[in-house]
Amino acid sequence: MLTKVVEGKRAVTRRRWIADEWDETSAWLRGEQAAHLIRVLRAQAGMECDMVAGDRVWRAAIAGVTGDTVRFNLLAEVESDPALPVTVLLSVFKFDRMEWVIEKATELGAERIVPMIARRSEKHLAQTAQSRVERWRRIVREAAKQSRRSDIPVVDDVVALKQAVSIKPETGLCLLLAEQERERTLYAAMQHFEKGSIHIAVGPEGGWTSEEESLFAAEEWQPVSLGPRILRAETAGIAAVAVLAAVLG
Ligand code: SAM
């Protein structure tokens, strides 16, 4: 992926890679990324790029290619934007639509995705969700690269809603996207955010059961609205992270 960075007054375009291994002075690419660089982009010593190593971004240059491994020298650290302090608790629903939320939430800056099984998550999807987690981790990695992030969001293993309601930030807000909520909008709730993290829960296509709403209420999650219209679960998830990104700036 090409990166446009400003060095002095000059805008420089460089490809961005995510290191498979790194230390203080070098980084290595292996597997798919290395194969693409070697075979498609004809990797040569001296070629420059941006390298994400851990949560830092470096200007780097190819030092050598050995078999299917490319070694880089890390030249200089490049400024990068931190992730948003946003965790999305995402109910399991149709996988292609869930993956849309996972990709877009990554582009928008979310730092963590917690897939959870709600009562109205379809049974066969609930049973197979854990087998999709590695795919979801690949999706966030590609979306992080594409959106020029300097970090990769965490995708948890799938949890049951009963456990998920206790996944709360030490400080911050726990917000429940509730289509029946009429008092408090997400935007209004964010006016009270001072520090810490925001955990936001997105319901399944069939919505929350009243028992689930009680479980969330017992853990002091605040129900919030995205407006009077009933949004599809994927629309609600993406819209919510976009609102948080806009408010957190
Ligand atoms: N089955 C529900 C119904 O027909 O009333 C609709 C559920 S909606 C398709 C899926 C999820 O998206 C909801 O559980 C909620 O988390 C979120 N959502 C949809 N519209 C929303 C809104 N206007 N405000 C807040 N959350 C919303």
Side-chain angles (χ1 to χ4, degrees):
M1 189 53 56
L2 292 178
T3 314
K4 192 179 293 302
V5 290
V6 178
E7 290 186 355
K9 299 244 170 315
R10 236 160 35 87
V12 181
T13 304
R14 284 191 291 263
R15 278 186 188 282
R16 176 164 291 199
W17 301 98
I18 298 179
D20 294 303
E21 208 183 309
W22 65 89
D23 62 21
E24 273 313 299
T25 57
S26 303
W28 290 264
L29 284 188
R30 307 189 197 291
E32 273 174 36
Q33 291 194 100
H36 183 72
L37 181 50
I38 295 167
R39 299 203 185 88
V40 181
L41 303 172
R42 306 253 169 270
Q44 278 163 24
M47 253 179 169
E48 288 209 0
C49 69
D50 273 6
M51 182 63 70
V52 177
D55 57 2
R56 297 159 78 182
V57 184
W58 298 84
R59 184 160 63 80
I62 294 180
V65 178
T66 331
D68 66 355
T69 299
V70 186
R71 186 169 67 80
F72 297 78
N73 292 328
L74 301 179
L75 307 173
E77 192 160 353
V78 173
E79 216 180 295
S80 58
D81 298 309
L84 296 175
V86 171
T87 292
V88 181
L89 280 74
L90 187 59
S91 296
V92 167
F93 53 88
K94 286 207 171 21
F95 290 147
D96 58 342
R97 298 187 186 167
M98 255 185 101
E99 289 161 9
W100 190 239
V101 179
I102 292 170
E103 182 183 86
K104 301 307 158 196
T106 301
E107 288 176 40
L108 288 160
E111 66 183 354
R112 182 178 172 198
I113 312 265
V114 180
M116 68 179 172
I117 297 176
R119 174 64 57 79
R120 293 183 178 140
S121 295
E122 291 166 51
K123 202 151 177 295
H124 69 286
L125 298 177
Q127 286 161 346
T128 51
Q130 184 57 35
S131 67
R132 297 285 282 210
V133 170
E134 279 317 312
R135 174 183 161 79
W136 297 337
R137 288 175 179 149
R138 276 200 304 280
I139 288 172
V140 294
R141 196 183 162 89
E142 282 312 308
K145 216 158 73 174
Q146 184 276 326
S147 56
R148 298 183 185 78
R149 286 182 58 152
S150 60
D151 65 320
I152 302 168
V154 172
V155 177
D156 285 35
D157 286 331
V158 178
V159 289
L161 186 137
K162 275 204 171 65
Q163 276 85 46
V165 294
S166 317
I167 300 178
K168 304 195 299 182
E170 265 158 47
T171 51
L173 295 176
C174 296
L175 304 174
L176 176 72
L177 288 182
E179 65 275 14
Q180 308 309 340
E181 170 64 23
R182 286 290 171 271
E183 301 299 317
R184 182 182 21 228
T185 64
L186 171 58
Y187 181 78
M190 282 301 293
Q191 303 321 300
H192 307 289
F193 175 70
E194 277 152 21
K195 59 181 174 51
S197 301
I198 300 126
H199 286 202
I200 188 143
V202 184
E205 214 41 56
W208 308 113
T209 64
S210 53
E211 187 213 345
E212 288 169 336
E213 285 177 344
S214 314
L215 282 172
F216 277 112
E219 291 284 344
E220 294 165 359
W221 287 71
Q222 296 176 43
V224 292
S225 167
L226 287 168
R229 285 161 293 282
I230 302 292
L231 309 173
R232 282 182 171 281
E234 68 270 20
T235 315
I238 297 167
V241 181
V243 169
L244 295 175
V247 173
L248 293 166

